[in-house]
Amino acid sequence: MAKRIDVTDLDVFYGSFKAVEGVTFSVEPRSVTALIGPSGCGKSTVLRTLNRMHEVIPGAYAEGTVLLDGEDIYGADIDPVNVRRTIGMVFQRPNPFPTMSIKENVLAGLKLDGKKRPKSELEGIVEKSLRGANLWEEVKDRLDRPGAGLSGGQQQRLCIARAIAVEPQVLLMDEPCSALDPISTLAIEDLIEELKERFTIVIVTHNMQQAARVSETTAFFNLAGVGKPGKLVEIASTEMMFSNPTQQATEDYISGRFG
Amino acid sequence: MADLTRREHDESEALLHEALAGGHLPRWSALGVAAASVAVAFLLNLTTGVDGVAGTAVVAMLVFLVGQTAWSFVVEGRRHAIDRLATTFVYATFVIAVVPLIAVLGTVVVKGAEVISVEFLTTSMRYATPTSEGGGIYHALIGTLEQVGIAALFGVPLGILTAIYLVEYAPSMRTRRLAHSISFFVDVMTGVPSVVVGLFVYTAFVLTLGLERSGIAASIALTILMLPVVVRSTEEMLRIVPRELREASYALGIPKWRTILKIVLPTAMSGIITGAMLAIARVAGETAPLLLTTFISQSINTNPFKGPQAALPTFIWDQFTNGTDVSVNRAWGAALVLIVLVMVLYATAKLISRFTGVKSS
Ligand SMILES: Nc1ncnc2c1ncn2[C@@H]1O[C@H](COP(=O)(O)OP(=O)(O)OP(=O)(O)O)[C@@H](O)[C@H]1O
Ligand SMILES: [Mg+2]
């Protein structure tokens, strides 16, 4: 069950530094939204506020509202741990747990939530998640080997498998391909194409072609200047953004004339 | 014309080769220079005031350094000469560092092995005198195992929890002041001499609180000595666990305490165990605080809560101060047992950490 996200007037601070200002946008369920923009404009910051991951950084806080299907995820009685179960995240660098095997990595989120599940169910989830991440065929014979022994691209798909194993409704991806070769990148893009049938996906990318290939909607962020907070310049359908952006800055960025 | 260019070409190739290859000392140069230096030192020993084994060795060393560097400088050039000089220093420091270690170990093993027997390990000093044969370390072994065991039981968890607080909780809470002062005290505690800790336990627990001079008093002192080492080493280990791993765990909806327990600690486990074992090994050899807190005993006392208890370090000290041959031999025997004990601890730690830590592929 994918869900929609509505962000309204979001400001994000790291201590006294305002990193992002006045961001408002919506993400449709079962779609891919790409966040693009120059380095340091706050894409990762905005992405992290969508599942309250910024809160693990000391001093970081957000103002504004983020609604998940109408429910305010910053509400007073909302548990950030539950928010993160519903809104999963994949990071720029593959980060499998080094103490765990491939299988244990996939099941980490389920094993460590404190609920007991029958073994047969877990086995099923391992296969389903690894198939979902297009990794099953490559690792099915070595599920008990360390996850850190896989190639970078495989590790990243393992991390995706780990993220989808807990059945989130939204998947956030922060430059998931930037540490990968073109083949692995394609594998992950194909995967995103499949995943959007089930999940709402928000992806940060520096790769214009990638944004054009995988997303329905593109949001362009920019910095007003050094030390100033990042802002959302424009958000529209990817087709519109790449063919006919309304803002000059967007056009400059997309055509590579800046940033 | 063609010949000329070919010759020129060959010549330039030879030049290039020389430029790339450079001069070389023969393979045997190090050994050769070493042999020559020893010979020179020996000659100087015979002819001049250079005297004794140590003096001759130092002279040989100096001759070696100067000789090899000079030869290399002439043949190979400055960079290689410096390289050889530095290499020599590195090897020399290595030897200087290792020789005493091996000498200590060797002496203890040789002298201790003569004394160790089943009787030595299973009897106390109850019926032995400084001059009589027989007697053993059973009472001291029990004492050390109990005192160090109890200290580890308190010290290791306390130290690990303190480190977890300092690394995982303090930065995100409004208690940074507290964390800083804890950190500071841990540093200070590392430097406090063990005899002072013994005195502290004696005044605070024995004199003020009326605790008996006993194994447990010794354990308290050892715990205090152990704590800063465990805290520091655990802290270091936790700090090198990448933030990304914690974030990956949080992003899966795993709560913080479970992240620490199931992700961070296992990742750092092998280092934490090694640190804890080193701390235990360190306090296992403490003598001064034991003298102040449980004193010396010649008979078996299995109850750490009542009455003086022997321990291996105090046994060694006691026997050594007796001064008789039999006693000094007993001291060597006890020293060997203490070292073996520490080595067993260390081996166990390595074994445990191999099975708990990061999986290598
Ligand atoms: N942990 C942090 N502490 C303090 N400031 C931070 C932190 N993380 C990011 N910032 C600041 O917030 C601003 C936005 O950073 P952010 O990481 O969101 O940029 P980004 O758009 O993701 O850049 P990139 O494309 O390079 O990843 C930057 O000015 C950055 O220096
Ligand atoms: Mg980023």
Side-chain angles (χ1 to χ4, degrees):
Chain A
M1 247 236 314
K3 299 219 149 124
R4 66 175 286 123
I5 300 173
D6 295 286
V7 179
T8 320
D9 260 336
L10 185 75
D11 298 342
V12 192
F13 299 82
Y14 291 106
S16 58
F17 173 65
K18 193 181 206 175
V20 175
E21 185 178 62
V23 172
T24 302
F25 68 100
S26 295
V27 177
E28 297 299 324
R30 281 177 236 283
S31 74
V32 179
T33 301
L35 311 186
I36 62 170
S39 188
C41 66
K43 306 178 294 295
S44 302
T45 303
V46 168
L47 195 72
R48 282 166 160 269
T49 52
L50 301 185
N51 70 345
R52 299 183 63 167
M53 272 301 287
H54 67 289
E55 288 172 9
V56 307
I57 299 166
Y61 64 97
E63 286 171 357
T65 55
V66 178
L67 304 182
L68 182 70
D69 263 9
E71 179 79 31
D72 184 0
I73 66 166
Y74 287 92
D77 56 344
I78 301 290
D79 182 354
V81 169
N82 293 333
V83 170
R84 291 176 202 141
R85 315 208 118 244
T86 317
I87 308 180
M89 189 161 197
V90 174
F91 297 84
Q92 178 168 1
R93 277 201 289 158
N95 49 8
F97 299 125
T99 53
M100 297 184 186
S101 67
I102 293 174
K103 187 174 74 215
E104 288 166 334
N105 258 289
V106 175
L107 293 177
L110 296 170
K111 279 257 177 84
L112 300 183
D113 70 352
K115 290 193 207 92
K116 283 260 178 276
R117 290 180 183 76
K119 210 167 170 207
S120 56
E121 187 191 334
L122 292 180
E123 300 285 336
I125 292 174
V126 171
E127 177 166 351
K128 188 172 150 218
S129 310
L130 284 171
R131 279 194 193 283
N134 278 335
L135 189 60
W136 175 252
E137 292 302 328
E138 285 157 78
V139 301
K140 64 180 179 205
D141 302 322
R142 45 171 169 160
L143 293 176
D144 292 318
R145 302 295 303 281
L150 298 173
S151 79
Q154 291 172 329
Q155 285 186 21
Q156 191 63 305
R157 279 178 284 152
L158 177 61
C159 292
I160 294 176
R162 183 175 68 183
I164 61 183
V166 296
E167 290 284 328
Q169 283 152 13
V170 179
L171 203 54
L172 309 175
M173 301 178 137
D174 194 350
E175 303 183 44
C177 303
S178 64
L180 305 181
D181 69 298
I183 306 276
S184 308
T185 301
L186 272 185
I188 296 209
E189 285 180 11
D190 289 345
L191 180 58
I192 292 172
E193 204 56 40
E194 286 169 29
L195 291 176
K196 78 169 185 212
E197 315 272 315
R198 293 196 282 145
F199 304 104
T200 303
I201 295 176
V202 183
I203 179 172
V204 171
T205 178
H206 275 290
N207 181 330
M208 296 303 143
Q209 285 86 11
Q210 183 168 66
R213 280 194 298 262
V214 302
S215 71
E216 278 88 44
T217 311
T218 299
F220 172 62
F221 288 79
N222 202 359
L223 276 171
V226 181
K228 296 228 179 74
K231 287 188 171 169
L232 176 64
V233 174
E234 145 164 49
I235 178 166
S237 79
T238 302
E239 224 184 310
M240 274 288 288
M241 286 287 274
F242 281 86
S243 60
N244 198 1
T246 58
Q247 303 289 318
Q248 186 62 36
T250 316
E251 191 174 343
D252 287 348
Y253 183 75
I254 287 173
S255 57
R257 249 174 285 159
F258 120 177
Chain B
M1 208 37 200
D3 259 10
L4 197 65
T5 45
R6 162 157 305 160
R7 189 160 354 114
E8 266 176 3
H9 180 250
D10 284 352
E11 261 172 21
S12 75
E13 207 163 61
L15 276 176
L16 177 64
H17 177 79
E18 197 162 293
L20 290 179
H24 280 295
L25 292 189
R27 263 170 189 283
W28 48 265
S29 66
L31 273 181
V33 178
S37 320
V38 171
V40 170
F42 199 64
L43 266 180
L44 287 175
N45 183 318
L46 294 181
T47 54
T48 65
V50 175
D51 209 13
V53 181
T56 317
V58 168
V59 170
M61 192 69 218
L62 288 176
V63 174
F64 179 85
L65 274 181
V66 174
Q68 194 193 41
T69 311
W71 189 15
S72 171
F73 189 85
V74 171
V75 179
E76 297 179 316
R78 194 176 125 86
R79 185 165 57 84
H80 283 278
I82 293 177
D83 180 37
R84 283 183 189 272
L85 191 67
T87 310
T88 312
F89 270 119
V90 171
Y91 275 98
T93 16
F94 170 72
V95 170
I96 290 171
V98 160
V99 161
L101 285 181
I102 292 181
V104 169
L105 214 59
T107 319
V108 175
V109 169
V110 169
K111 299 215 175 189
E114 287 172 15
V115 193
I116 288 183
S117 63
V118 175
E119 193 202 352
F120 185 70
L121 294 175
T122 53
T123 45
S124 72
M125 290 301 292
R126 187 90 171 81
Y127 304 106
T129 65
T131 47
S132 71
E133 294 285 337
I137 57 163
Y138 186 59
H139 59 312
L141 201 57
I142 288 179
T144 286
L145 288 177
E146 285 185 357
Q147 289 153 23
V148 175
I150 294 173
L153 223 57
F154 287 126
V156 171
L158 260 174
I160 292 179
L161 288 173
T162 309
I164 290 178
Y165 166 75
L166 286 176
V167 177
E168 304 290 336
Y169 286 98
S172 55
M173 296 183 357
R174 306 210 173 276
T175 51
R176 258 183 243 181
R177 269 257 171 74
L178 178 63
H180 277 307
S181 31
I182 292 180
S183 240
F184 175 72
F185 280 118
V186 167
D187 276 341
V188 172
M189 268 166 76
T190 320
V192 173
S194 57
V195 65
V196 175
V197 171
L199 267 175
F200 163 74
V201 172
Y202 180 69
T203 0
F205 288 83
V206 179
L207 291 186
T208 314
L209 297 177
L211 185 75
E212 215 176 322
R213 268 189 164 190
S214 56
I216 195 77
S219 296
I220 294 172
L222 296 185
T223 304
I224 296 175
L225 282 168
M226 197 152 119
L227 261 176
V229 187
V230 178
V231 173
R232 268 287 164 267
S233 62
T234 308
E235 223 187 317
E236 300 297 325
M237 289 303 130
L238 292 178
R239 278 192 207 286
I240 59 175
V241 174
R243 207 176 49 122
E244 284 94 345
L245 284 187
R246 296 184 176 86
E247 293 195 338
S249 174
Y250 296 141
L252 290 172
I254 300 172
K256 180 165 186 169
W257 68 274
R258 245 180 230 279
T259 299
I260 295 170
L261 209 61
K262 300 285 184 164
I263 307 288
V264 179
L265 280 180
T267 306
M269 191 50 86
S270 69
I272 293 176
I273 291 177
T274 310
M277 287 298 166
L278 283 178
I280 295 174
R282 201 203 113 170
V283 299
E286 283 296 348
T287 318
L290 299 192
L291 289 176
L292 289 159
T293 50
T294 176
F295 202 56
I296 290 169
S297 161
Q298 307 298 343
S299 38
I300 299 168
N301 174 10
T302 51
N303 185 355
F305 298 98
K306 211 164 165 36
Q309 237 187 350
L312 287 172
T314 48
F315 177 94
I316 295 169
W317 180 78
D318 181 39
Q319 293 298 318
F320 186 76
T321 45
N322 282 341
T324 61
D325 278 354
V326 202
S327 283
V328 172
N329 283 344
R330 284 194 201 112
W332 283 112
L336 179 57
V337 172
L338 189 57
I339 288 182
V340 169
L341 211 67
V342 167
M343 271 158 60
V344 168
L345 265 181
Y346 200 73
T348 323
K350 281 282 154 201
L351 218 63
I352 298 175
S353 52
R354 173 163 319 158
F355 290 111
T356 51
V358 172
K359 292 210 170 88
S360 56
S361 36

